[in-house]
Amino acid sequence: MSNSAAGLSSKSKAGSSQPYETTSSKRKRGVFQKDLQHMMYGFGDDANPLPETVALVEDIVVEYVTDLAHNAQDIGSKRGKLLVDDFLYQIRKDFPKLNRCTELLSMQEELKQARKAFEVDEEKLASIE
């Protein structure tokens, strides 16, 4: 591991009594701790994983998402607008992620349409009464 990873683990041990530590990049640590513990358990880890492990996974996830967002922003800045397609372009070679993202986007669209139809039905019922 690099020196920064070693420094992170020593920071998490020293300040483990505080759930929200701040690193040099001014990011609150521990924000996703409970969610990551549940996800790790769902993928076969212990029900109560070590705090150092959760902190390391959180650092990796936040770094990945930050890099993904920055790269998508670089692509989107060429046309002056950041779009969902910029993120899909970033993960185009990772088929499981791409398929899951397109599935979630289509589900989001279906939910939008269902909410819209439900609102229209409520308006019709209110006008009848």
Side-chain angles (χ1 to χ4, degrees):
M1 295 221 143
S2 66
N3 291 337
S4 63
L8 289 174
S9 64
S10 66
K11 285 182 187 177
S12 63
K13 288 179 187 175
S16 62
S17 63
Q18 296 177 352
Y20 296 105
E21 294 176 319
T22 305
T23 60
S24 61
S25 64
K26 297 185 180 183
R27 180 183 73 81
K28 288 185 178 180
R29 297 194 65 213
V31 176
F32 305 110
Q33 184 176 16
K34 282 290 182 194
D35 296 324
L36 286 173
Q37 285 178 344
H38 293 302
M39 288 175 69
M40 290 168 65
Y41 179 66
F43 281 101
D45 200 351
D46 189 50
N48 295 312
L50 293 173
E52 293 85 6
T53 306
V54 177
L56 178 63
V57 171
E58 181 181 24
D59 289 340
I60 292 168
V61 168
V62 168
E63 181 181 346
Y64 173 77
V65 171
T66 303
D67 289 345
L68 185 71
H70 285 158
N71 291 338
Q73 186 176 13
D74 290 343
I75 293 169
S77 66
K78 294 175 184 173
R79 78 177 155 273
K81 213 174 176 184
L82 183 62
L83 300 173
V84 173
D85 293 336
D86 298 329
F87 289 96
L88 295 176
Y89 179 77
Q90 288 296 308
I91 59 171
R92 70 190 181 278
K93 294 181 182 177
D94 191 348
F95 293 116
K97 285 181 192 166
L98 182 63
N99 290 336
R100 181 66 174 151
C101 286
T102 54
E103 178 186 354
L104 289 172
L105 288 169
S106 66
M107 290 170 68
Q108 179 186 17
E109 189 61 37
E110 287 179 26
L111 285 172
K112 244 188 234 183
Q113 291 173 358
R115 284 189 194 112
K116 191 174 183 180
F118 185 71
E119 289 173 3
V120 170
D121 290 343
E122 279 186 346
E123 290 174 4
K124 286 181 182 178
L125 287 175
S127 66
I128 293 173
E129 295 173 357

